[in-house]
Structure formats: structure tokens, C-alpha cells
Amino acid sequence: MIRGAIFDVDGTLLDSMSIWGTVGEDYLRSLGCIPHENLTETFKCFSLYEAACYYRSEYGITLSVEEILTGINQMIEQYYFTETQAKPGVEAFLRTLQEHGVKMCIATSIDTYLIDASLERCGIRSYFSEIFTSNAVGHGKSEPHIYRAAQASLGTPIEETYVFEDAFYAAKAAAAVGFPIIGVYDPSETQQAELKSLSEVYLQDFRDTASISALL
């Protein structure tokens, strides 16, 4: 039975992964740096803070981590404030969980103010009690700390607190400490088979309510 739900945002609730395919390279080029090959794949498991540290260590950027984070956030603010869209069926899906008494919160690598603005604009912010970010927790999503913090806030047993994730590496970290996983399809994830294998339920689409009904 599902009593608590921890949701990722990018690629899970929001159809927003496209911005992350280019923002790292675009930021480096804005500073006159030539990006390494496969930069997007390198950053896949990074929080924004970890990416900022990587810029300093790998590219010799002398800006402070805080200045780098400000620069990156300025590049993505407009996208989150005006362009991101919820995936089809998300609002109705969340409403169904709420009607069944499921407690919900967010676990994301993105700064709170960006997620707040985007979820508010999409009309789904009110479903979530809190937003937990990798920066605030101090660990990226390749580790389970953010999920533990989110579960503690919900106050639900770990075996009844489901993690909704589109990224295999993040789902793997949560599953390793006992969280049941609901995998969410997003075309940006190259390890779909692994995510599906790890998941108790795999959602191709949030309109597929039959897949979740057995847990309610």
C-alpha cells in the first residue's frame, strides 16, 4: 500500500529535460571555455552545486561556486518561469493520490525557487508539503540522503513510501536503502530496461491509472 510519495520533477512530473541537454555547454561557452565531449552525460548524476565545483576543478574557472550557480540559474530561470509543462495526466494523477490520503513531497536537484515557480504555474504545487533539493541536503541524487530526508518529513514507513523517478541512477540509490520505486518513462533516460526492472510499477504515462490502482 502506498502511504507516502516522493516525486522527482524534471523528466518525472515535468516535460523539462530538454533544457539540461545544452545548459552546461552553453554556460561554459558564455565564459569562453570549450566544453569537453559527453558533458551532458557527465552532469547527469550531478546536482547544480556539484556541477559548479566541476567547472572550477576541470576548467579552471575562478568564479566562486555561488557566482557560478547564479550564472547557471539566470540561464534557466526563464525556461522554468515561462515554458515548462507538466506531463499529460499529472494533475489528475496527483489528485487521485491526494483523495486516497497519500502524503506527497518533492525531491529534486533543482533550486527551490525554480521548482516552486514552475509547479505553481502548472497548477500542481499545492499537492506537495515540501520541496527537498540536493543543494539543501548537501548530497546529489546518486546517494539516498535526499530521499531519507523527504521520507522523514512525510512520516510514512519506508516500505510504504514510493519514489517516483525517471532516472535510473537516482532510482537505484533510493532502492538500495529500501524505498519501493515507481519508474516514470522519459525519453532522456537511456537505461529504460534497468529502470523498469528496478520498479514495482513502471508508468509509461500518468494517464495509465490502472498501473497504480493496486497500490491504493
Side-chain angles (χ1 to χ4, degrees), residues 144-156:
H145 300 76
I146 192 169
Y147 303 110
R148 290 187 184 277
Q151 181 233 344
S153 78
L154 294 177
T156 51

Side-chain angles (χ1 to χ4, degrees), residues 28-40:
L28 287 170
R29 290 193 180 100
S30 76
L31 299 178
C33 299
I34 299 175
H36 298 160
E37 291 185 12
N38 300 318
L39 187 65
T40 299

Side-chain angles (χ1 to χ4, degrees), residues 10-24:
D10 287 311
T12 298
L13 294 172
L14 302 183
D15 189 11
S16 55
M17 288 303 293
S18 59
I19 185 67
W20 300 105
T22 60
V23 68

Side-chain angles (χ1 to χ4, degrees), residues 209-216:
T209 54
S211 294
I212 198 71
S213 61
L215 298 175
L216 294 173

Side-chain angles (χ1 to χ4, degrees), residues 14 33 47 54 61 128 150 174-175 200:
L14 302 183
C33 299
S47 68
Y54 181 86
I61 293 172
F128 306 104
E200 292 201 14

Side-chain angles (χ1 to χ4, degrees), residues 3-187:
R3 295 179 60 190
I6 301 170
F7 283 87
D8 172 56
V9 176
D10 287 311
T12 298
L13 294 172
L14 302 183
D15 189 11
S16 55
M17 288 303 293
S18 59
I19 185 67
W20 300 105
T22 60
V23 68
E25 294 181 358
D26 290 344
Y27 178 73
L28 287 170
R29 290 193 180 100
S30 76
L31 299 178
C33 299
I34 299 175
H36 298 160
E37 291 185 12
N38 300 318
L39 187 65
T40 299
E41 192 64 25
T42 299
F43 281 178
K44 187 175 181 180
C45 301
F46 282 14
S47 68
L48 286 179
Y49 179 85
E50 290 168 331
C53 293
Y54 181 86
Y55 289 139
R56 285 172 54 85
S57 64
E58 295 297 318
Y59 292 90
I61 293 172
T62 57
L63 296 172
S64 68
V65 169
E66 291 72 21
E67 289 171 325
I68 293 172
L69 290 174
T70 296
I72 295 172
N73 281 329
Q74 286 175 344
M75 295 185 72
I76 63 177
E77 273 181 2
Q78 183 172 353
Y79 181 77
Y80 278 90
F81 286 178
T82 65
E83 297 182 39
T84 51
Q85 298 293 324
K87 286 188 170 182
V90 161
E91 198 279 331
F93 186 91
L94 296 174
R95 186 169 64 250
T96 297
L97 292 184
Q98 185 181 68
E99 289 170 351
H100 283 80
V102 178
K103 298 178 180 180
M104 294 176 276
C105 66
I106 295 291
T108 178
S109 297
I110 312 304
D111 282 353
T112 301
Y113 80 102
L114 295 173
I115 297 302
D116 253 330
S118 193
L119 296 182
E120 285 283 2
R121 187 173 51 77
C122 292
I124 57 175
R125 176 62 183 88
S126 63
Y127 290 103
F128 306 104
S129 58
E130 290 190 61
I131 295 174
F132 291 86
T133 69
S134 296
N135 288 341
V137 173
H139 295 270
K141 294 179 80 175
S142 58
E143 301 176 273
H145 300 76
I146 192 169
Y147 303 110
R148 290 187 184 277
Q151 181 233 344
S153 78
L154 294 177
T156 51
I158 191 169
E159 67 273 11
E160 296 179 344
T161 305
Y162 284 68
V163 171
F164 289 71
E165 274 284 357
D166 69 295
F168 172 65
Y169 84 92
K172 183 179 179 181
V177 292
F179 287 98
I181 303 300
I182 296 181
V184 179
Y185 171 76
D186 191 83

